[in-house]
Every structure is written in C-alpha cells, then in structure tokens.
Amino acid sequence: MQEKWLLAKLSVVVLLLLSTCSALYEDQIKKFDWRGVNVGALKQSRVDLNHFQPRILVSTNEGVVASLCVKTGELLWRQILEQKPRGDIKLLQVSGFSDDSSDTAAAPMGSNLGFDMLTVQGHAPALVRGWNTNMGALEWEWSIMPLNTERAQEALWFYSRSVLYHVLPAWRSHLEVTAYFASSGHTTGSTSKVMASWITPESCSLSGTFYVCVDGKQLISLDLVSKSGQVIRTLLEEEPKGKLKTVAGLNGVVIVDGSLVSVNKDQSVCNGLQSSSFTVGSFNYRKILAYADLVSGILKINAVYLDNCAPATEIEQSLPFPVHFGIPSLSNFDCKQKRNGDGKSCLFLFSTSSESIVAVQQGRIRWTREEALANVIDSQFVDLPLADTEGTLESEMKGKAGDIASAFLRRITTQAVQIRSLFLHVIGLGPPPTDTQRAGLVRDSFGLHKILVLLTRAGKIFGIDNISGKHHWQLYLPNVNGFDNDEQMRLIVQRSAKHFPLQPLCVILGKDAVNSNGVLYRFNPITGQPSEGGLIQLDYKIKQLSLLGETEKDFVKGILLLDASNKVHVYPQHAAPLADGMYLYTADVRTAELAGFFVKYAGGKLSSTHVWNARLGGHNSEQQIIGVSGKNPIEHVHSQGRVLGDRSVLYKYINPNLVAFVTQAPDATHKSVLNLYLVDVVSGSVVFTITHRKVRAPLSIVHSENWLAYSYFNEKVRRTEITTIELYEGKTQANSSVWSSLQAPPMPLVERQSYILPTIVEALRETITERGITNKHVLIGTASGSIVEMPWHLLDPRRPIASTTQGREEGAIPYIPELPLPTESHINYNQTVARLRNIFTAPSGLESTCLVVATGLDLFVTRVAPSKTFDLLKEDFDYILITIVLVALTSGSLIVKHLASRKLLKQAWK
C-alpha cells in the first residue's frame, strides 16, 4: 500500500513538472529558420589523407581551430578560441604531419605528455595548447606572461625537435630567443640574446628556424637553433619589391618576388620557378614542391620533385576558376601514399582573396566553403519578382484609366492570353521558364519569401534564399574597402521589385583601395548581374551619403553624396531636383565634432552650405564617439500617443531627424565616463544629454519611434546594464501632420530607467513591420550566442516603483531591476550564433511577422511575430470542420427559408 502511495505522489510530481515545461516541437525545428556555420578566413592548414581518419586541420584569422571533412568540407569539429588579441593564433603544429624528423610529438624525458596538434595564441599571456584532433578536445595547456606586453605583440614562435621557441624581436637592436619543452612549458635554459641591428618589422620574416631580413640587394639571416650564431648573407639580383613570404615545410626558404631563395645550405631549391604560392608535400613517397597560379581565368597546378627538380607531371592540373573566388593561394596539399600513383588521389587546398576555402581534386573543384560570411557588415531583404500571371495583372492595374467597356475588354484579353499560355504549357509548347522561376525565386502570397543580400568585409556579396539558405549567386569586388572614420561599405536598395516590369536595383558604396576615391557598384539583387552601369569609379572621396525619394521616371531612389571638399553630388543625376532642401550631417569619431549642411538645387546645380557645428569632445577634446544610431528610414509609427490612466493622451516626441551619439573618455576619478547626446541633425540642437560614470564598452544601442535603449558595462558593480529613454511632447501635440525641426516644439519630457541584464550584450535591434501596428520587441544578442526577444513593456521606463491604480490602468508592470531571460524567449533555441555581432530586421508582407538575420562567425535567419500571428491561420486549423459547419449552416438556412415561405403561404390562405 505504501509503495502505491509513493508511486502516486511521484506521478503527481512528474505531471506538475511537465505542466511547467516550455519547449519547441520537434517538427518546428529549422522549419522557419536555418543556420550557417563558419570558421573564418584560412590562416594555416594541414591536409592529411593518410591518417586512419582523413581530415583537414585548419586555423583561421577569427581565432578558430577546426577539422574539415575531406570529401565534403563540412565541419567535423570546431573550437572557438578567445577573441583577438588573446585568440590570435601564432602557430599551428600538427604531430607527425610530414616525414621531417623535427615534426614529432615527442615529450621531454620522463613525461607521458604529447600532442596531436599544438597551437600558440595571443601574447599577454601567450597560451600553448595541445589538442586531440579526433574529437577536438583540449588535452593540456600552459602559458607565459611577458615582462614587456607591448613588445610581445611582435613575438614569433616555431617548433623544432620537441622544443618550442619563442622569438621576441627588439627592432634595430637584437632578438631574444627562449626555448620551452612543448608539452610541459619548462624552459630548456636561459634566454639567449642575439644581436641584430638590421631587423625591422617591414623587412623580416621567420622561415622555419631561420630569421630572414631584406637589406637592399641582400638577405641577412640567422639560424636561431644553431650554436654558432653565424650571420648568413645571401646576395640578390635586385632589391625586392614586395614583402618576404615563407614556404611551409622548407626550412630557411623564402619567396622573393615570386622566386624561391634558400638561405639554408642544407636545403636546396629549384631555380627558375616563378609563382605566387608554393607548398611542400609528398607523392609516391617522394617530397615534391607544388605551386599554383591563375592565368586568364585558368588555375594551373604544377609540381616538381625536390630531390632532382624534375617535373611531377602526374599531379599537374588545370581547371577554370570562377571569378567570384578572387585570387587563389595554395595553402596545403596531400596525396594518398600509393606507389606508381596517377595523381588522382591528391587534394589541394586553396585560400582566396575573397576569403573562400576551395578544395581541388582530379582537375575540378570538389567543394568550397564561403568563409566571407563570417564577417557580414550589411544586409538587405529584397522582395522577389512577381510570377507571370501576377505581373500581367499588375500591369493591367497600372494601366491608364478608361471607360468600363475598355477595362472589361482588357480583362477578357488578359484572361484569354493566360488560358492560351496554360494550354501551351500543358502540351509542352509553352515558353520555357525564366532563370528566376526555375530557381524558385517567385514572390509568395504573404511576402515571407525574399532574397537575402549580404555584403561582407572582404568585398564579396551573396544572394541567398531566406527560407532554404541556398546560395543563388555570388559577386566579388576586389580592391574595394570601407570608408575612413571606421565606416564600413554600404548596401542600399535603390529600387524594389514592386515596380513591375522594372527589375529591382541595389548599389554598393565603398572606397577604392588604390586612390581612396568613391566606388559605386549597381546590380540586380535577384540575379546578381551588374545593372545600369555596373561598377562606377568616382573622381572624389565620399564623406557622407543619404538616400533620396523615388523619381517618377524610373522609381529609383537617388543617392546624395557629400565629398571631402563639402561638395554635393547625386547619382543618378536626374534625381538631383529631389535633393533640394535636404540636410546632411558629418561626425568625426576621433574628435567628436559634428557638422551640418544644407543642400540647395538651383539653376541645374547643387550646392551645400555649412549651417551648424557642434563639439562633443569636451573642453580637452578627449571624448571619442563610440556609437551613432539613427532611426530606421522605413519605419512607420502607428500610434502617436499613449493613453494614460485618467484617459488623457501623452503624445510621443516623434522627431525623424533625431540621432543618438555616444561618446567615451577616460577619467582620473571615475576611470571612464560615457555621455549620450540626442541631437537634431537638421537644426543642430541638443535635445537631451545624460552622463554615466564608471561605465565602459561594449556598447549597443537601438533607436526607434520616441524611445531609445542602450547597454553598457558598469565597472562599479561589475555587471551589464541597459538604460531606456522615452521622449514625449506632453498632453498637447504641436503639429499632428508634419514635423519641422526648424519649428520644433519645446524640449520633450524625458522618462528614463535602467535595468540589470545577467549577460553581456553584443547587439540590439528592434522588430519592424509593414505598418507599425504590431507591438515593438527588442532583440538582444548575447555573448553566449543566443538571441532573446524582449517585449518593450519589460523595458518601459514608465514602469512604476510600486503598483498603483494609474499604472494598472496603463498596463505598466511594477519596476523590478533584474530583467528575466527565459529560455522560451530565445528565438534561436539551441542554434548558437558564435561571435554574434549584428542583428538585422526587415518587414514581411504580413503585418504580424518580422524577418530577422543575425550575423557573426555564424549566420542565423528566422522570423518572429511579436504580437503572435493574428493575421494568419494556425497550422492545425481544422478546415474540414469549418467546411462542414458552413455547409450545415447554409443548408439549414435554405431549409428554414423554404419552411418559412410555406408557413407564410399557409397563413395567407387562412
């Protein structure tokens, strides 16, 4: 009896626990979202096809070590190290990779510690770690802390015969070399100081155990493991034009202007070879030197045997190389050990200037990884074009208005053409589908299916399906960088797909890497093809830009550009009249100085006038701008006021020209001071300012409607806080139709409040919808890689301290400093976004739904519904039941009508 009683109690407890659980249904996983996992631009690699588990081990510029599948390039495991500079990987050493006797995992005598892979990262401290390459598990680590942390940034490392060497240069003076047992970190002796007055950071490189420097027409080198310490001088035919490059696997060999030069008497090289990238491997149990070059779009891979410099024709290959990959560089290769092999077993791994990883085998590209997506700097969701039938209907609706007869005739003609097209399609004689239709790039009914255009730091652009994640096209812009003042390249939509039959148009603005002048690249975001001029080189530097309204001619939004001499330009030029009366502002992040300009169009020419100036740097100009946030230009404000508890209306201060500037400066008393300024960039007036002491970055800020939210780290209490601000005009509204900054209402009423977040914030973004009816939520990207959807009513600065009648009438929650982060609010559930940096949002065709893309080392795309999907039927909606009910009601009404008419007829005869 007692056992039954215990079992009953246990059942009740289990039921109570189940009732409080929140989870995601299994069939909902990855139904409305997808994630792309990246490792970053390739830095070092080791291809091993002869291991019992063939793999590719890589280290990247993003501080990642990973193992890739040889056949597909997919991740087998990935370890994300600390962020730079602590996570900067200085050395990647794989045990037993080659047949070199110095490449072993031998540990010091009496120790059982070895390693599969060794990495050295950072400088203060420098971390040495040993890894298990089968699972990616960390097996051991040790660290050293240098005495001079500034000099330690230039430190170099190399591995030889179970000993790890730390080389610390003192420019124009000497080298300090310290040897450590690789597995334990114990020093083998004292630090040796090698005098070298000729070393400079621009002319020196480490090749194996040799430290090589260029001095005019000669190479001066030192063997750092030799006891003699002899200075080796090697004469050159002419002074090198570029920097020295090293060849992995060749000790004391450098690449000088594409040619191999050896400073090691024990290492011979093959003269006459000319290439941009070399690497060493083995084939048929013989060492070979492989090199690759791109000639007229053809990638040519050649190799020679190192022992006699004879060509290894078995592995020579040539293949067409797509332009969007940029310039390839041979990173590493390996061949399966087979005697009398035919070269088909060799796999070549390339890194490219567009930050792609390309694997070549048997004369073709076997797989690729687009690692440029690890550094996305801008994003746009672009509407897809209409289908043919919808496009025809759209053209009909845009036709000229006429009488009813002509409109009816057009409709009959259109439907006849559609029926003819359908018949021809059924019998197989219809026109073939277009490329976009074949790829499935057709607009859906709810506007949820879009093309996601991503711009990366490397200058590569991607067109990705936001539902499936498929890459439809890629573009690469070499020699195009971000702007000065730490501004990245910009991606702007000049014309959407709503203007059928005109094609959508996007433009990328950047800076030419050679002359620093502005660059424009116009392209079709659906197909990725250049459009309306393609790449346009400007003859001036871009200082500021702004988007104008649509032109009546071709529905293109012009771009207003301000150059370095404060002259204004408009592209395309026929949109110049729309720039009349526009205002521009500039901000110098280093001096915290703002300037405003007025643009005038008269006599067919544009001119700018400097109208205001503001200095936010303080009396000693120590403050620097660390954050700027304006409002989303496509944002719609649905409600202009807030209903209070007494049924009066508190009107919002909705200033579209309001921009938030955040400055930071060191302080002797408070360590660091952070200032927030709300500036009207048309009139130059400072609307509001607030100061935070003993706080510092990381700073994230979001600005929308009449509110502002920004997060920072409070050093006094060692926690992350988020401050929210709301601006109101009061209970009377100055102008309900048109806002004018030149005739602005009095200073707004400011409500502000701070909250505590139990995590570090990396990004903030507000949700946005087509009409602004849906409630606003704030998306919070955390350092742990999760994205939290926070309702605004939890961040509301008007939350009362105590529960009051007025607060309850307004629907305000009583103030609690700590903000909860429930797991059900994580929109990416267990799909962690590593190194999350930015969150971008865009409206969909449904008012309830907002499209979201989160970027960082990984990429995550999803959709959110802040007010639930009130305009969409649920997936489990019972269509059969509602059909039966409608049929029953319709039949019942007809029967009742018939019975009523019979009753009335009988009553009439009485």
Side-chain angles (χ1 to χ4, degrees), residues 882-904:
I882 195 67
T883 302
I884 294 174
V885 170
L886 289 176
V887 170
L889 290 175
T890 304
S891 303
S893 62
L894 293 176
I895 294 173
V896 170
K897 181 180 179 181
H898 177 68
L899 294 177
S901 61
R902 290 187 61 182
K903 181 179 180 180
L904 292 175

Side-chain angles (χ1 to χ4, degrees), residues 849-867:
T849 307
C850 172
L851 304 178
V852 180
V853 54
T855 63
L857 184 63
D858 298 336
L859 188 69
F860 182 75
V861 179
T862 186
R863 63 180 75 160
V864 295
S867 299

Side-chain angles (χ1 to χ4, degrees), residues 692-822:
H692 299 274
R693 295 177 176 84
K694 293 185 178 181
V695 301
R696 60 173 175 84
L699 173 80
S700 298
I701 185 169
V702 59
H703 192 186
S704 176
E705 292 190 0
N706 69 317
W707 56 265
L708 182 79
Y710 57 99
S711 65
Y712 50 84
F713 185 78
N714 191 322
E715 288 190 325
K716 182 178 180 180
V717 289
R718 310 294 297 175
R719 67 191 182 196
T720 300
E721 297 179 355
I722 182 169
T723 298
T724 58
I725 297 174
E726 279 189 334
L727 307 177
Y728 294 95
E729 287 189 38
K731 295 189 176 182
T732 58
Q733 194 172 20
N735 193 326
S736 60
S737 57
V738 179
W739 176 273
S740 174
S741 293
L742 302 180
Q743 299 177 353
M747 289 299 175
L749 305 175
V750 180
E751 299 280 355
R752 57 183 180 270
Q753 192 59 270
S754 295
Y755 298 91
I756 302 171
L757 281 173
T759 183
I760 298 176
V761 177
E762 296 290 346
L764 292 175
R765 184 70 66 176
E766 84 281 9
T767 58
I768 185 170
T769 54
E770 190 76 22
R771 299 296 178 186
I773 301 174
T774 305
N775 293 334
K776 286 282 186 179
H777 284 192
V778 176
L779 302 179
I780 303 175
T782 67
S784 61
S786 61
I787 306 170
V788 182
E789 186 179 4
M790 182 71 67
W792 178 250
H793 66 263
L794 292 178
L795 297 169
D796 191 352
R798 287 180 55 84
R799 289 177 60 178
I801 301 298
S803 179
T804 60
T805 304
Q806 183 175 358
R808 289 193 296 269
E809 288 289 337
E810 292 185 30
I813 304 173
Y815 174 73
I816 300 176
E818 297 83 5
L819 287 175
L821 298 180

Side-chain angles (χ1 to χ4, degrees), residues 76-91:
L76 299 178
W77 56 261
R78 177 183 69 170
Q79 289 290 349
I80 303 173
L81 308 181
E82 295 82 355
Q83 294 195 24
K84 290 184 178 181
R86 189 173 181 179
D88 186 18
I89 300 175
K90 305 283 187 178
L91 176 67

Side-chain angles (χ1 to χ4, degrees), residues 279 289-294 298-303 312-319 330 333 346-350 359-364:
T279 189
L289 177 69
Y291 55 98
D293 292 286
L294 186 64
I298 303 297
L299 178 62
K300 296 183 177 180
I301 304 174
N302 301 284
T313 57
E314 298 89 346
I315 66 173
E316 291 181 356
Q317 303 177 25
S318 62
L319 63 150
L330 183 58
F333 82 100
C346 298
L347 181 72
F348 297 85
L349 194 69
F350 289 86
V360 174
Q361 192 174 32
Q362 299 181 11
R364 63 183 180 87

